[in-house]
Every structure is written in structure tokens, then in C-alpha cells.
Amino acid sequence: VSSLCLAVAAKTNQLDQQSMTELAYAALLHDIGKSKLNFNTNIPLSKMSSEQARRYKNHPADGVAILAGKPFISPRILGLIASHEEWGEGRGYPEKKIIANLDLPYQILSIVNMYDHFCQLNGLASAKGIDAFFDEFEAHFDENLISTLATVLN
């Protein structure tokens, strides 16, 4: 996720060095909250029990709690981690934010995280999944960002 986020960010040519660094840290650590879960998280939410789904949806907040107060973790990195499961028009979690209202680093981490998860759940190699991902999620992410992701993958 981290390498792909940085490649997409570099291709947009819109982020300064500080934003790139924060995106890199957040992308590397975004799922650290999953370390508190004792079940398989590589299954669809619909296949999890209600308790598992509730706990899974809390992993961004768990990640923030684990990393808060660390000297190398800025408030922006914590914000990116807290929002990495947000997508579409309020379809993500935990806060159901509208993705188009988020700053570019947040959108990049969200789309790359969703793409990575989509490929894992569907048994697709990273570069092979972009067409299927585009078909399913084009209405939920910025079309230019999806195109940039596709360009980077190709």
C-alpha cells in the first residue's frame, strides 16, 4: 500500500515533500489496528459475524490509539490512519466521510487501501484488478484518481 500510494501521489505531482512523507508513514502503518484482532480479516465484512464486523470497523481508531504519542507520528498521520477506510459518498467508516471533501493524501490512501483489499478478496494480482475495481468503484472515487492508479499499475 505504501509504495503504491507514493507512486500515485508522485504521478499527481500535487503533494509537497512533507505531505509525501506523512502519506508514506500512514500508508505503511494504516492497518496496525488490525493487530488487536484475533480473526481472519481477509474476508468480506458480510461474511464476518456482527461482532467481528464491529471490531473490524474499529481498527482505524485502534491504530490511532496504538500510535498516538509516538514522537515520529504527527497529527496528520493519525488523521490519515483514522480515515483510511472512508470512501464514496459516506459509505466508508468510521465516520462516513464524503471522500471528495477530503484532502488528496486522504483520497490516495483510501483508494489504494480499497484497491489492495479488493484484490486480496478477489484473488487478483495487483496490476490485473484495475478493470474490475474500476467497474465496481468508479462512482465512489474521483475518476482522475482511479485513472492515475491505473496508469501507475500499467
Side-chain angles (χ1 to χ4, degrees):
V1 171
S2 188
S3 297
L4 193 50
C5 278
L6 290 179
V8 170
K11 193 76 170 164
T12 68
N13 202 31
Q14 296 180 41
L15 299 183
D16 61 24
Q17 188 59 47
Q18 180 67 28
S19 295
M20 293 284 284
T21 300
E22 290 172 333
L23 178 59
Y25 275 114
L28 187 63
L29 298 168
H30 73 283
D31 274 343
I32 196 168
K34 286 183 180 179
S35 66
K36 296 182 89 174
L37 303 177
N38 59 353
F39 57 87
N40 180 7
T41 61
N42 289 323
I43 59 173
L45 280 172
S46 61
K47 302 252 189 229
M48 293 180 187
S49 70
S50 59
E51 176 62 15
Q52 287 174 327
R54 183 195 65 75
R55 290 180 55 213
Y56 181 85
K57 287 181 176 183
N58 201 52
H59 84 268
D62 288 340
V64 168
I66 290 167
L67 295 169
K70 302 289 188 271
F72 58 92
I73 301 294
S74 70
R76 178 114 187 226
I77 294 169
L78 293 175
L80 285 159
I81 291 168
S83 297
H84 79 271
E85 295 283 0
E86 301 288 352
W87 60 282
E89 300 299 311
R91 297 184 67 156
Y93 50 87
E95 296 181 25
K96 303 203 176 297
K97 295 177 181 176
I98 296 173
I99 194 77
N101 294 341
L102 299 177
D103 290 341
L104 185 58
Y106 291 81
Q107 290 186 42
I108 292 171
L109 180 54
S110 179
I111 194 171
V112 170
N113 175 66
M114 182 65 78
Y115 180 70
D116 180 65
H117 197 62
F118 177 83
C119 288
Q120 286 181 25
L121 290 178
N122 292 289
L124 301 170
S126 183
K128 302 282 186 200
I130 193 63
D131 291 334
F133 181 80
F134 188 83
D135 290 344
E136 189 164 334
F137 291 100
E138 71 178 318
H140 303 295
F141 289 103
D142 178 82
E143 188 175 329
N144 291 328
L145 205 50
I146 290 178
S147 294
T148 302
L149 176 61
T151 299
V152 166
L153 289 168
N154 289 325

